[in-house]
Amino acid sequence: MTLRGENLIGAEARRGTEAAFRAVEAATGEALEPDFPGASLADLDRACALAEAAFDTYRETDPETRAGFLEAIAANILEIGDDLVTRCMAETGLPRPRIEGERARTAGQLRLFAAVVREGSYVEARIDPALPDRKPLPRPDLRLRRIAVGPVAVFGASNFPLAFSVAGGDTASALAAGCPVVVKAHPAHPGTSELVGRAVQKAVASCGLPEGVFSLVFDAGQSIGQALVADPRIAAVGFTGSRRGGTALMAIAAGRPAPIPVYAEMSSINPVLLFPAALAARGAAIGKAFAASLTLGAGQFCTNPGLILAVPGPGLDAFLDAAAAALRESPAATMLTPGIRDAYRAGVDRVAGHAAVTRLAEGPEGAAAQGRAALFATDADAFLADPVLQEEMFGASALVVRCRDLAAMRAVLAHLEGQLTASLHLAPEDHAAARELLPLLERRVGRILVDGFGTGVEVAHAMVHGGPYPATSDGRTTSVGSLAIDRFLRPVSYQDVPDALLPAALQAANPLKLPRRTDGIPDPR
Ligand SMILES: NC(=O)c1ccc[n+]([C@@H]2O[C@H](COP(=O)([O-])OP(=O)(O)OC[C@H]3O[C@@H](n4cnc5c(N)ncnc54)[C@H](O)[C@@H]3O)[C@@H](O)[C@H]2O)c1
Ligand SMILES: O=CCCC(=O)C(=O)O
């Protein structure tokens, strides 16, 4: 498929008129064809106007139409075939199996949301019938459903060019909720973005939907993204990226005459708690598994295990020996962009130069575009004394914090910022100590896992990929899994509205066959 470097504004493909940029081949630094001229403010205005015009029709599409649309996007992405995989590999430096796996995950995610739309519980249809004879006052007829919030702005992520980008989780959940989407492509993979954007655009047309359901804009800088968040027709924002970028967009959204929510997933160091009996029983095996998780995708996962907490002893020594040996042999890996590589190296240098930190291991030196793995250690007192030590190093390096006892481990956890995940490595003898820490962990993180690592998020109904700030801007939500749809819905209550005027979801005959509650009790199905 030929790339044209065009913004996709509704049904149109338009070459931008602003500064152009090109993708860079991650491994070589070579510029890749074609040019991507940035969208103009007029292009963005048209995209937002079309999204607004599409909103009322799209949000009332019947479940089958909307689910079919999501499935058509999945099919169209797969239909692009190897062109998508090779372009994506070139732009990101990520290997083929990773891109193919991520493509399957992206299609599966769209299909999951299709199933959610067909099943219908997300509408939360509730009916409290009128009680005209209630004393002292009659009760009105009350009916509630959730509706889409409005057009949503999505910022594609650099590190998941498919699953968190143009047709990734934010887009899939917003479209499932009934929200048109305007995507601001990540500048690191514009070709991948255009290919996927065209797949979505094609699905909009083949499903007979209003053209404004989807648009995709490119920008060499940040002004179009900022204007998108400020646009009064945009009702919510999905973002995955840096803390600086996420908080900048939050400030724009909060400063609007009508503020809107920004669902930003930003930074997390994902603590790993190694409990004494687990370490004694299998320290070396955990160390090896940790190194594999740390180096996955050159460490460019928001779920990367960047912080290890453990009590010193022979078990921890075995863990460290195995982890260090694996990391010393782990080849340097191409990073997504020169900027991300430089930020990673600067983060590593900052930690390496810290007076209270020792370097335990370092991977082999690589090419200019590559990042090498590293493992550092400090103690709990030093960690508690310097917030720099809990800053995300976005790459394959981690810091081990030696805690003199479990009380020190608790103090470190209590001091941590919000996190996406916490991993506990346990033997049965550790359960009592782990139980003590669980309430604190629940307050700090979005997902607690045992005997594993957070990398490799399952896209499922019971998944939470979220967590308190700064892991995300809103710890009440998730950006992965079916619950992600909640971000883009809001409840509306209808009081004494005649059946003929009610939305289908709440009419007496239940024409959409939605699961509903009457007086709080699920209706028989
Ligand atoms: N935790 C994570 O999941 C995660 C993922 C990717 C990157 N990162 C971090 O972010 C750093 C940079 O990577 P990145 O380019 O992917 O993230 P980024 O936040 O710099 O950019 C993400 C997107 O937001 C836009 N953007 C950023 N700042 C903006 C602003 N002030 N106004 C308008 N738009 C803005 C960018 O153009 C891009 O489209 C990495 O080195 C890493 O530290 C973290
Ligand atoms: O980088 C953020 C997403 C991480 C993820 O989805 C995974 O670990 O699978």
Side-chain angles (χ1 to χ4, degrees):
M1 190 177 282
T2 312
L3 287 174
R4 297 211 165 82
E6 290 169 331
N7 297 284
L8 306 178
I9 312 291
E12 268 188 277
R14 286 195 195 181
R15 224 165 145 67
T17 50
E18 299 301 313
F21 67 101
R22 285 194 183 180
V24 169
E25 183 167 24
T28 62
E30 300 282 321
L32 295 168
E33 297 278 359
D35 277 348
F36 283 82
S40 63
L41 286 173
D43 292 330
L44 183 68
D45 180 64
R46 170 106 179 120
C48 293
L50 287 173
E52 174 64 25
F55 177 48
D56 280 329
T57 305
Y58 180 61
R59 72 185 175 87
E60 293 300 347
T61 45
D62 64 84
E64 195 48 47
T65 301
R66 211 182 302 159
F69 170 49
L70 294 166
E71 289 167 343
I73 299 172
N76 292 350
I77 290 171
L78 296 177
E79 201 183 277
I80 304 168
D82 215 42
D83 285 357
L84 179 62
V85 177
T86 52
R87 178 73 190 198
C88 195
M89 287 166 62
E91 290 184 333
T92 62
L94 295 169
R96 175 175 284 275
R98 157 67 194 274
I99 298 299
E100 288 179 346
E102 198 181 320
R103 179 178 59 174
R105 172 171 161 176
T106 306
Q109 188 161 249
L110 286 156
R111 294 192 190 113
L112 175 79
F113 280 108
V116 166
V117 169
R118 282 200 182 92
E119 193 275 333
S121 299
Y122 77 96
V123 174
E124 282 280 349
R126 296 163 179 219
I127 299 174
D128 296 337
L131 298 174
D133 300 326
R134 192 181 68 171
K135 299 287 183 250
L137 290 172
R139 182 174 80 176
D141 180 275
L142 281 171
R143 289 162 194 251
L144 175 152
R145 70 164 176 161
R146 299 201 296 177
I147 68 163
V149 292
V152 169
V154 170
F155 286 74
S158 58
N159 60 336
F160 273 74
L162 298 171
F164 284 75
S165 267
V166 174
D170 287 342
T171 298
S173 54
L175 291 176
C179 300
V181 168
V182 180
V183 177
K184 207 295 265 175
H186 196 288
H189 52 258
T192 304
S193 299
E194 182 183 334
L195 290 172
V196 174
R198 287 186 187 276
V200 183
Q201 194 185 46
K202 192 167 133 192
V204 172
S206 69
C207 294
L209 297 171
E211 59 171 321
V213 165
F214 176 80
S215 290
L216 170 67
V217 290
F218 294 99
D219 185 18
Q222 297 179 339
S223 57
I224 284 293
Q226 293 172 357
L228 176 59
V229 174
D231 191 286
R233 292 159 293 199
I234 294 297
V237 180
F239 169 94
T240 301
S242 68
R243 189 161 169 174
R244 183 190 293 189
T247 50
L249 299 183
M250 286 163 67
I252 293 170
R256 293 169 32 136
I260 55 168
V262 175
Y263 298 104
E265 191 225 296
M266 297 175 287
S267 80
S268 184
I269 54 173
N270 305 301
V272 176
L273 283 58
L274 304 176
F275 283 80
L279 274 181
R282 49 181 206 280
I286 302 171
K288 213 168 148 203
F290 155 71
S293 172
L294 183 72
T295 52
L296 209 59
Q300 301 162 121
F301 275 53
C302 45
T303 44
N304 195 41
L307 181 71
I308 308 293
L309 309 181
V311 178
L316 178 60
D317 294 342
F319 168 90
L320 293 176
D321 288 347
L327 293 176
R328 279 187 204 107
E329 308 232 310
S330 173
T334 300
M335 299 200 71
L336 293 160
T337 68
I340 288 176
R341 176 208 58 208
D342 291 348
Y344 173 59
R345 288 185 184 170
V348 167
D349 288 348
R350 194 171 53 238
V351 171
H354 195 285
V357 169
T358 51
R359 192 191 316 250
L360 300 179
E362 194 168 35
E365 176 83 86
Q370 295 184 319
R372 64 208 290 207
L375 186 62
F376 300 97
T378 190
D379 60 42
D381 291 339
F383 187 83
L384 292 172
D386 193 346
V388 161
L389 293 178
Q390 61 169 306
E391 282 176 16
E392 182 184 56
M393 287 182 277
F394 193 66
S397 60
L399 178 64
V400 178
V401 177
R402 293 191 172 95
C403 305
R404 79 185 67 82
D405 52 22
L406 291 172
M409 192 186 275
R410 168 184 273 280
V412 170
L413 283 176
H415 173 72
L416 282 185
E417 297 186 305
Q419 305 291 332
L420 293 171
T421 73
S423 302
L424 285 65
H425 289 262
L426 302 173
E429 306 88 296
D430 297 315
H431 284 188
R435 190 175 291 113
E436 293 255 308
L437 287 181
L438 281 173
L440 177 56
L441 287 170
E442 286 166 347
R443 291 179 57 171
R444 286 287 174 282
V445 316
R447 176 162 57 115
I448 297 166
L449 52 138
V450 170
D451 292 347
F453 296 93
T455 44
V457 176
E458 189 70 34
V459 182
H461 299 289
M463 175 51 67
V464 171
H465 187 63
Y469 186 90
T472 73
S473 53
D474 187 342
R476 293 168 296 181
T477 63
T478 173
S479 63
V480 177
S482 56
L483 205 61
I485 197 172
D486 280 18
R487 298 173 299 170
F488 305 121
L489 294 164
R490 69 177 183 83
V492 176
S493 186
Y494 303 78
Q495 183 168 330
D496 290 334
V497 176
D499 202 61
L501 295 182
L502 281 170
L506 298 175
Q507 286 170 0
N510 194 8
L512 300 179
K513 304 205 174 350
L514 288 178
R516 309 199 295 197
R517 286 176 178 266
T518 301
D519 279 329
I521 310 292
D523 289 357
R525 307 244 22 218

